[in-house]
Amino acid sequence: MTYLVLARKWRPRDLEAVIGQEHVVAALRNALQQQRLHHAYLFTGTRGVGKTTLARIFAKALNCVGSDGQGGITARPCNGCDVCSAIDAGRFIDYIEMDAASKRRVEEMDDLLERAIYPPNQARFKVYVIDEVHQLSPHAFNAMLKTLEEPPPYLKFILATTDPQKIPVTVLSRCLQFNLKPLPTSMIAERLAAISAAEQISAETAALRLLAQAARGSMRDALSLLDQAIAYGGGAVSHASVRQMLGVVDDALIVQVLDALAARDARALLALAQDMANRGESFAQALRDLARMLHWVALAQQVPEALAEDVEHAEQIRRFAAAFAPEEVQVYYQIALHGRNDLALAPDEYAGFTMTLLRMLAFAPQTAETPRALALGAARSPRATAAVPGPTPRKRVAAAEKPAALPPRTDVAPALPAFLDWPSLVAQLPIAAITRELANCSELVAVRDDVFHLRVPVKTLAESGAVERLRQALSEHFGRPVRVQVEVGAAVDTAAARAAAARSDKQKRAEEAIYGDPFVQQLIEHFGARIDPDSIRPLD
């Protein structure tokens, strides 16, 4: 007997079985019950959240005849009649699924629309489902506009896409649009647990939570990963086997990294990195997990009630929330994200990972002393004791050694913030030529002790005299001497990138305005006119 994968076996067959999309389910159920049926629907959302599943259920609801063959439009298809069975099997003649990723040309759309003039053979409605509709060519979109707006009464369009931004507004305005949300990790884990129990598969709760996190909001991905975990674990799904299958770093190691950061212990951080290298751990995954843990720490600092008791390592997270200043957590989080993105640019991943950890120590904000004893006094696991040298507390100056207090100065400018909106600041600086190019193409990594740390993608910018001219402009702007240090790497949030995004948005709006103009549409429909995309330019 052929094995049916879990993603297909447990695919919802009615609206009651769809999880995480209550807003869409309620709207479709009410429309079916009141028979207020639109002629075109658009389902948007990331992969694996139920777009084509809902399309099939809706097609069954429109055409179900019930067990006695006398049923009508219903919000609860029977899933037993010939129509429901044929749609589930993908062999119903009046239910047509089209993949726009492979059939995107205007000729294929014309062929589909030519068949639309014929009434359904067996059903009440002929249902056209076009998946990944954003991949249709502009000519294919134009060909379907008239039919999409005024289809025959027996024809229903259901469009699905993961990228609605690429769909012309002329199409969007003709559809009822429903945005399907990524599923929460907890909901996916609960569903995996129910399916594992129904399949009589032994599965640990922690293992299912890992699979749910790896699915990133997609129920289909989660079920595929569960299939893989069952095969990997020989019929059982354990936390250890799933962690090994996914390449997930042990959370205890992330706790040790944060303990070493709290202690400002560079030797301990390097020892942990070497331990990871010896065991073949993924440095990219370690930085991702570190960022996730820092996210929970920040939540625990700002909104303590957001940290539920069932969150893994809740006690450790609260300890770090007390051990770190909020500014430190924010800086470490951003450095972890940048470090992960820069791994491909590093000489090797070990160097990139260790430099990221050392950067956290170097750029740690100078804040008031925080109660680090909470972090340093925590009990360490046996593995931590063996692998990591004891932390070296920072030296503190005794009260007797402190100099006499001086009266506060009122003429000293306040310290610069650790992070600024660099692209907005660049626009205010009186610079030009290569200095402007340096500022526009650079990303601000951090500001510490009046030193601007910048990252540029081109080495020549870092070596030019423009760095000194930029330093002078910044000093004049802030009314105090500053320094500029430049490193070479991938720069993301730059003034040039924001300007390019703005230009792209203007171009897109200009194209949408042209394609949506009624006069232009008449020229296309009646005279076969064509639009040259290269001729469209936005107005400044």
Side-chain angles (χ1 to χ4, degrees):
M1 182 176 180
T2 304
Y3 175 71
L4 190 63
V5 298
L6 295 177
R8 292 181 59 191
K9 182 177 181 180
W10 291 94
R11 188 178 196 172
R13 302 177 63 200
D14 49 48
L15 293 176
E16 285 71 22
V18 177
I19 63 172
Q21 311 297 345
E22 290 77 11
H23 60 300
V24 180
V25 169
L28 294 179
R29 180 184 291 115
N30 292 336
L32 290 165
Q33 290 174 346
Q34 300 170 17
Q35 297 197 17
R36 299 177 62 90
L37 302 173
H38 202 269
H39 59 269
Y41 297 83
L42 174 64
F43 295 146
T44 68
T46 187
R47 77 279 177 273
V49 294
K51 298 184 295 296
T52 54
T53 293
L54 279 171
R56 287 193 178 187
I57 295 173
F58 194 60
K60 289 190 295 183
L62 292 173
N63 293 306
C64 177
V65 296
S67 57
D68 58 357
Q70 304 299 317
I73 297 174
T74 176
R76 296 176 178 270
C78 68
N79 289 316
C81 65
D82 292 341
V83 173
C84 291
S85 300
I87 291 177
D88 280 335
R91 51 180 172 78
F92 191 58
I93 192 171
D94 293 318
Y95 174 78
I96 299 95
E97 282 191 14
M98 172 182 168
D99 181 15
S102 58
K103 296 181 179 180
R104 61 189 305 269
R105 298 181 303 168
V106 65
E107 294 84 2
E108 291 160 329
M109 179 57 65
D110 286 339
D111 179 61
L112 186 73
L113 297 177
E114 285 176 3
R115 289 181 283 162
I117 64 175
Y118 301 106
N121 290 304
Q122 304 174 10
R124 299 185 195 92
F125 296 96
K126 181 179 288 188
V127 181
Y128 283 173
V129 178
I130 305 179
D131 198 12
E132 298 300 340
V133 67
H134 68 274
Q135 298 201 34
L136 287 177
S137 67
H139 296 305
F141 273 124
N142 292 334
M144 71 183 296
L145 285 178
K146 190 63 177 177
T147 306
L148 187 63
E149 183 173 23
E150 298 179 0
Y154 50 77
L155 183 61
K156 301 295 181 186
F157 280 97
I158 302 179
L159 314 180
T161 179
T162 56
D163 195 353
Q165 304 300 322
K166 294 182 179 179
I167 299 179
V169 292
T170 51
V171 174
L172 293 176
S173 65
R174 289 166 166 84
C175 301
L176 288 185
Q177 184 172 345
F178 297 98
N179 183 32
L180 277 68
K181 302 177 294 186
L183 274 64
T185 298
S186 58
M187 184 177 292
I188 295 178
E190 290 176 4
R191 180 65 174 162
L192 293 181
I195 292 175
S196 299
E199 293 285 329
Q200 298 183 350
I201 299 295
S202 174
E204 297 179 4
T205 302
L208 297 180
R209 188 180 295 111
L210 280 180
L211 294 176
Q213 291 173 353
R216 297 182 180 274
S218 170
M219 193 67 233
R220 183 178 62 220
D221 287 7
L223 289 173
S224 298
L225 288 171
L226 179 59
D227 251 331
Q228 183 180 350
I230 293 171
Y232 189 86
V237 182
S238 66
H239 183 261
S241 64
V242 169
R243 189 167 58 82
Q244 189 173 8
M245 180 189 81
L246 297 176
V248 176
V249 178
D250 191 351
D251 286 339
L253 187 142
I254 304 302
V255 170
Q256 294 173 46
V257 169
L258 290 174
D259 273 330
L261 284 174
R264 300 287 197 270
D265 193 342
R267 287 189 178 86
L269 291 172
L270 292 179
L272 288 168
Q274 187 60 53
D275 185 32
M276 288 180 57
N278 294 339
R279 292 185 285 113
E281 299 275 14
S282 169
F283 291 114
Q285 183 65 42
L287 289 175
R288 182 187 294 115
D289 293 342
L290 178 58
R292 182 184 293 114
M293 184 77 78
L294 288 167
H295 165 251
W296 280 112
V297 172
L299 284 181
Q301 288 178 331
Q302 304 296 336
V303 190
E305 61 271 19
L307 188 65
E309 290 298 330
D310 59 348
V311 174
E312 283 190 286
H313 308 292
E315 182 179 349
Q316 301 280 25
I317 290 170
R318 292 191 184 92
R319 179 166 62 86
F320 290 128
F324 291 111
E327 296 90 338
E328 288 182 284
V329 177
Q330 296 297 327
V331 171
Y332 294 160
Y333 178 81
Q334 188 169 29
I335 291 175
L337 295 183
H338 282 291
R340 183 170 174 270
N341 292 333
D342 291 348
L343 281 182
L345 302 174
D348 54 68
E349 288 201 349
Y350 172 79
F353 181 71
T354 53
M355 282 298 291
T356 299
L357 298 181
L358 295 178
R359 191 179 301 138
M360 291 179 180
L361 294 182
F363 291 153
Q366 297 297 319
T367 61
E369 192 63 42
T370 53
R372 297 187 180 280
L374 292 172
L376 303 181
R380 296 178 179 271
S381 64
R383 172 183 166 188
T385 303
V388 183
T392 305
R394 290 180 295 172
K395 182 179 179 181
R396 285 172 170 71
V397 180
E401 299 174 354
K402 293 182 180 179
L406 296 176
R409 292 180 56 186
T410 59
D411 60 336
V412 178
L416 297 176
F419 288 93
L420 298 166
D421 187 354
W422 178 249
S424 299
L425 174 60
V426 167
Q428 305 173 37
L429 298 179
I431 52 179
I434 188 65
T435 309
R436 171 66 62 183
E437 183 70 12
L438 167 63
N440 283 337
C441 295
S442 61
E443 179 179 18
L444 181 64
V445 178
V447 180
R448 181 170 177 264
D449 296 335
D450 289 347
V451 180
F452 284 74
H453 298 269
L454 304 180
R455 182 184 295 119
V456 297
V458 181
K459 186 177 181 181
T460 53
L461 291 175
E463 296 176 344
S464 67
V467 175
E468 174 58 23
R469 291 191 290 273
L470 178 60
R471 184 198 66 77
Q472 294 173 359
L474 289 170
S475 298
E476 293 175 1
H477 180 82
F478 289 103
R480 62 196 298 168
V482 302
R483 290 184 296 148
V484 176
Q485 293 183 357
V486 181
E487 65 181 51
V488 180
V492 180
D493 187 16
T494 66
R498 290 192 186 180
R503 289 194 300 270
S504 175
D505 185 59
K506 285 185 178 180
Q507 179 68 25
K508 181 178 179 181
R509 290 199 300 267
E511 293 177 359
E512 290 174 349
I514 292 296
Y515 281 108
D517 186 89
F519 178 69
V520 174
Q521 290 300 322
Q522 290 179 7
L523 292 177
I524 294 174
E525 294 175 10
H526 298 297
F527 299 101
R530 297 177 60 186
I531 299 175
D532 181 5
D534 296 333
S535 67
I536 303 175
R537 292 290 182 272
L539 296 175
D540 295 331

